[in-house]
Amino acid sequence: MFAIGRTPTQSGCCRWLAVVAVVAVCVGCQSKPNPLLRKHGIDALNDKNLAAAEKRFVQAVEQDPTDWKSLYHLGLIRLQQGMAFDAQILLERALELRHNDAETSDILDALAESLFQRRRMEHLHKLLTQAVTDHGTSRDYLRQGRYMAKLGDVDAAKLAYRKAAYFAAPGDPDPFVKLADFYESIGDTTNAITSLRHAHAIAPGNQRLQHRLREYGIVPGPTAAVPPAK
């Protein structure tokens, strides 16, 4: 289990209660079931009505502090509002409640971003390392590579992206595309092309990949496709 998501200390509890106090502004709102509030909140997000979405998710969290879906969505809203500290607290609570489930990766993505925005680098490193230790999925390594690259640690980013490609699910070219993007960002054209050819072997009909290969003067097709070694 993630150390970051364990039961909060007394200080952590105080921080959590403070955030709840800040967001609990729906005094007088008519009580509605949380699933309905979440639906209305997501509809508002889809309509780009951040204020309406915030109101729904705040009420849901106030009614049920264990509603991890509302905690997660409210955390995303706080990130958009530039309130990274509040986002971190909400997302840490969501992770406590959903630490080993299908939705864990989404929560981890958002939590990592909140820590990055706050420049809590030690905390961020710990979160990223714990994720690959506990789960070790391609997505966990992609997350690690992305933030290592943002922090300027090229070697760590390269290793993480290569592991993401290695652990890619059969038929998924995305980790190889991300690896190619990384190589391009550091000027390593040779390895960028190799990664794109791996991706092309996995998804030969992908027109975007075909276009990128053509930009390097490579004609898409069977001879351009190089299956990745495992």
Side-chain angles (χ1 to χ4, degrees):
M1 182 174 180
F2 290 91
I4 190 172
R6 290 176 183 162
T7 303
T9 61
Q10 184 175 1
S11 173
C13 286
C14 291
R15 290 195 307 165
W16 162 246
L17 290 172
V19 170
V20 171
V22 169
V23 301
V25 294
C26 273
V27 177
C29 292
Q30 183 179 2
S31 178
K32 296 179 181 178
N34 272 33
L36 183 60
L37 287 171
R38 289 197 303 269
K39 180 183 183 304
H40 288 168
I42 291 171
D43 289 344
L45 285 176
N46 291 335
D47 291 337
K48 302 188 185 304
N49 189 340
L50 201 64
E54 177 186 14
K55 181 178 180 180
R56 300 296 184 269
F57 289 120
V58 163
Q59 184 179 354
V61 170
E62 183 181 17
Q63 290 180 175
D64 180 6
T66 67
D67 180 352
W68 70 267
K69 290 183 180 178
S70 294
L71 289 164
Y72 167 68
H73 283 291
L74 187 56
L76 293 180
I77 290 171
R78 292 293 181 245
L79 281 176
Q80 292 186 57
Q81 294 171 328
M83 302 170 64
F85 174 77
D86 285 358
Q88 177 189 340
I89 301 304
L90 292 162
L91 293 164
E92 284 179 342
R93 179 59 177 153
L95 186 61
E96 288 178 20
L97 297 165
R98 209 73 177 171
H99 69 274
N100 194 26
D101 299 273
E103 302 84 6
T104 300
S105 290
D106 293 333
I107 300 171
L108 285 169
D109 286 345
L111 181 53
E113 181 59 24
S114 73
L115 295 171
F116 179 75
Q117 288 186 16
R118 295 193 63 216
R119 313 306 292 177
R120 296 294 300 275
M121 299 316 170
E122 183 177 349
H123 205 166
L124 176 59
H125 275 281
K126 182 178 180 181
L127 179 74
L128 298 172
T129 301
Q130 194 69 48
V132 298
T133 298
D134 287 353
H135 303 291
T137 67
S138 181
R139 184 168 173 180
D140 293 313
Y141 284 111
L142 283 175
R143 183 187 308 110
Q144 187 179 46
R146 181 168 63 252
Y147 283 100
M148 291 301 96
K150 285 184 177 184
L151 296 175
D153 192 337
V154 174
D155 290 338
K158 182 187 299 185
L159 179 61
Y161 276 118
R162 287 172 65 90
K163 287 184 177 181
Y166 181 82
F167 289 109
D172 182 10
D174 188 61
F176 293 94
V177 174
K178 294 292 196 304
L179 180 58
D181 293 341
F182 169 73
Y183 279 130
E184 286 179 343
S185 74
I186 62 173
D188 188 341
T189 301
T190 299
N191 279 313
I193 291 173
T194 299
S195 299
L196 289 173
R197 294 179 75 173
H198 289 331
H200 181 53
I202 296 169
N206 187 304
Q207 294 185 358
R208 184 178 179 187
L209 282 173
Q210 293 175 10
H211 175 71
R212 290 184 66 173
L213 286 170
R214 289 191 182 99
E215 288 183 326
Y216 283 112
I218 299 171
V219 179
T223 58
V226 179
K230 284 291 187 179

